[in-house]
Short mmCIF file of all heavy atoms in Angstrom, two decimals:
data_model
loop_
_atom_site.label_atom_id
_atom_site.label_comp_id
_atom_site.label_asym_id
_atom_site.label_seq_id
_atom_site.Cartn_x
_atom_site.Cartn_y
_atom_site.Cartn_z
N ILE A 58 3.84 16.32 -5.36
CA ILE A 58 3.05 15.16 -4.90
C ILE A 58 4.10 14.18 -4.40
O ILE A 58 5.01 13.78 -5.10
CB ILE A 58 2.28 14.54 -6.11
CG1 ILE A 58 1.32 15.57 -6.64
CG2 ILE A 58 1.50 13.29 -5.66
CD1 ILE A 58 0.89 15.27 -8.07
N PHE A 101 -11.97 3.17 -17.13
CA PHE A 101 -12.29 4.53 -17.55
C PHE A 101 -11.54 4.99 -18.82
O PHE A 101 -11.81 6.09 -19.31
CB PHE A 101 -11.94 5.45 -16.41
CG PHE A 101 -12.89 5.28 -15.22
CD1 PHE A 101 -12.40 4.67 -14.07
CD2 PHE A 101 -14.19 5.68 -15.24
CE1 PHE A 101 -13.20 4.46 -12.97
CE2 PHE A 101 -15.04 5.49 -14.13
CZ PHE A 101 -14.57 4.87 -13.01
N GLY A 180 -3.59 -11.43 -11.82
CA GLY A 180 -3.71 -12.74 -12.49
C GLY A 180 -2.91 -12.84 -13.78
O GLY A 180 -3.17 -13.85 -14.51
N GLU A 248 -4.59 -1.51 -35.74
CA GLU A 248 -5.97 -1.98 -35.86
C GLU A 248 -6.76 -1.77 -34.51
O GLU A 248 -7.90 -1.37 -34.50
CB GLU A 248 -6.01 -3.48 -36.19
CG GLU A 248 -7.31 -4.04 -36.60
CD GLU A 248 -7.84 -3.52 -37.91
OE1 GLU A 248 -7.07 -3.01 -38.69
OE2 GLU A 248 -9.05 -3.61 -38.17
N LYS A 695 18.75 -10.08 -41.19
CA LYS A 695 18.92 -8.66 -41.71
C LYS A 695 18.11 -8.54 -43.05
O LYS A 695 17.69 -9.55 -43.57
CB LYS A 695 20.34 -8.24 -41.95
CG LYS A 695 21.20 -9.23 -42.80
CD LYS A 695 22.63 -8.77 -42.82
CE LYS A 695 23.27 -9.02 -41.54
NZ LYS A 695 24.33 -8.12 -41.17
N LEU A 705 25.44 -16.42 -50.36
CA LEU A 705 26.67 -17.02 -49.99
C LEU A 705 26.48 -17.98 -48.81
O LEU A 705 27.00 -19.08 -48.84
CB LEU A 705 27.74 -16.00 -49.69
CG LEU A 705 29.10 -16.46 -49.15
CD1 LEU A 705 29.80 -17.40 -50.18
CD2 LEU A 705 30.01 -15.31 -48.82
N ASP A 778 8.72 -12.74 -40.94
CA ASP A 778 8.40 -11.45 -40.39
C ASP A 778 9.38 -11.03 -39.32
O ASP A 778 8.96 -10.58 -38.20
CB ASP A 778 6.95 -11.42 -39.84
CG ASP A 778 6.37 -10.09 -39.82
OD1 ASP A 778 6.60 -9.31 -40.74
OD2 ASP A 778 5.62 -9.73 -38.87
N ALA A 844 37.56 -11.14 -49.79
CA ALA A 844 38.39 -10.10 -50.45
C ALA A 844 38.23 -8.79 -49.61
O ALA A 844 37.22 -8.57 -48.90
CB ALA A 844 37.87 -9.88 -51.86
#
Side-chain angles (χ1 to χ4, degrees):
I58 301 160
F101 295 106
E248 193 68 18
K695 53 186 72 212
L705 174 61
D778 205 36

